[in-house]
Amino acid sequence: AAITPKSITATITGNPTKTYDGTNAATLTSGDYTMNTGITGESFTINQTSGTYNSKDVTTANAVTATLGSANFTPASGTLASNYTLPTTVTGAGQITPITLTPTLSNTGVTKTYDGTTAAPSGFTPTSAPSQLLSGDGITLADTGAVYNSKDVATANQVNVSGLSIASVTGNAILGDYVLGSSTQSVSAAITPKSITATITGNPTKTYDGTNDATINSGN
């Protein structure tokens, strides 16, 4: 008679998570694996630390897979590896979280001439790539509104931008791999005086008095 090895499976548990880094590489620990031999007192520890997400991107990464070899199993005391057919792959849920960006807005083109309103130009861009961006990646921003803190030349010194969001991403990333830390931001700005002209109207008229003096009133 003979005893054949028992086939057992393993699962990645604990939802291994990392911050977006542009790759699908996953780092695992022995605590990320669950494997039940079904035999009381017999167990294995899995030491494979490398895995692979099913996507490099935040919005589509939802699983992790690891490849296992015999060297990745450490049997507990009293457990014989030869009694089992060990799994060669293991899969489970996992996720990648976005990088949070804190861009500084450019004030290029924000100055306007006084028009009696607090309305400000829209479509701001970062002054430079935020330090949290991975090399080769870039972003463009969108906003839902921008207003000066005052309508008047003497007191207007900043524009408050609201509804900031990432409109597009360039490089190796896609939308969703980055998020903004705040949807509002302020940027230095100014309102310059409006130049105006005046004209004398009404054809001011006088009776000859030997001088070129003219009498003008506010109606002129």
Side-chain angles (χ1 to χ4, degrees):
I3 298 174
T4 57
K6 180 179 181 179
S7 294
I8 56 175
T9 59
T11 304
I12 292 176
T13 58
N15 193 34
T17 302
K18 74 169 183 177
T19 301
Y20 175 76
D21 64 4
T23 76
N24 63 355
T27 300
L28 303 168
T29 68
S30 59
D32 290 317
Y33 299 95
T34 297
M35 185 171 67
N36 186 2
T37 65
I39 306 297
T40 301
E42 298 192 9
S43 63
F44 291 86
T45 299
I46 301 176
N47 62 13
Q48 175 61 278
T49 58
S50 298
T52 304
Y53 287 91
N54 60 324
S55 170
K56 71 174 183 63
D57 296 305
V58 171
T59 55
T60 49
N62 56 24
V64 175
T65 299
T67 300
L68 305 176
S70 58
N72 296 129
F73 296 91
T74 302
S77 177
T79 303
L80 291 177
S82 58
N83 286 335
Y84 298 92
T85 300
L86 300 172
T88 56
T89 59
V90 58
T91 301
Q95 66 173 330
I96 298 174
T97 56
I99 294 176
T100 300
L101 302 178
T102 53
T104 300
L105 298 182
S106 169
N107 62 0
T108 302
V110 176
T111 299
K112 75 168 183 177
T113 302
Y114 175 75
D115 62 4
T117 76
T118 59
S122 190
F124 292 90
T125 57
T127 54
S128 60
S131 60
Q132 302 95 334
L133 275 174
L134 298 182
S135 178
D137 288 348
I139 62 168
T140 57
L141 299 178
D143 62 79
T144 59
V147 294
Y148 283 87
N149 61 325
S150 170
K151 69 176 181 62
D152 299 310
V153 172
T155 50
N157 56 25
Q158 72 179 30
V159 166
N160 299 314
V161 184
S162 60
L164 276 173
S165 62
I166 298 175
S168 62
V169 179
T170 59
N172 191 45
I174 64 173
L175 281 174
D177 290 336
Y178 294 96
V179 295
L180 297 183
S182 174
S183 62
T184 61
Q185 197 168 132
S186 298
V187 58
S188 298
I191 297 176
T192 57
K194 180 179 182 178
S195 296
I196 56 176
T197 58
T199 304
I200 295 175
T201 58
N203 191 30
T205 302
K206 74 171 185 176
T207 302
Y208 176 74
D209 62 3
T211 74
N212 64 354
D213 295 337
T215 301
I216 300 173
N217 58 49
S218 59
N220 296 125

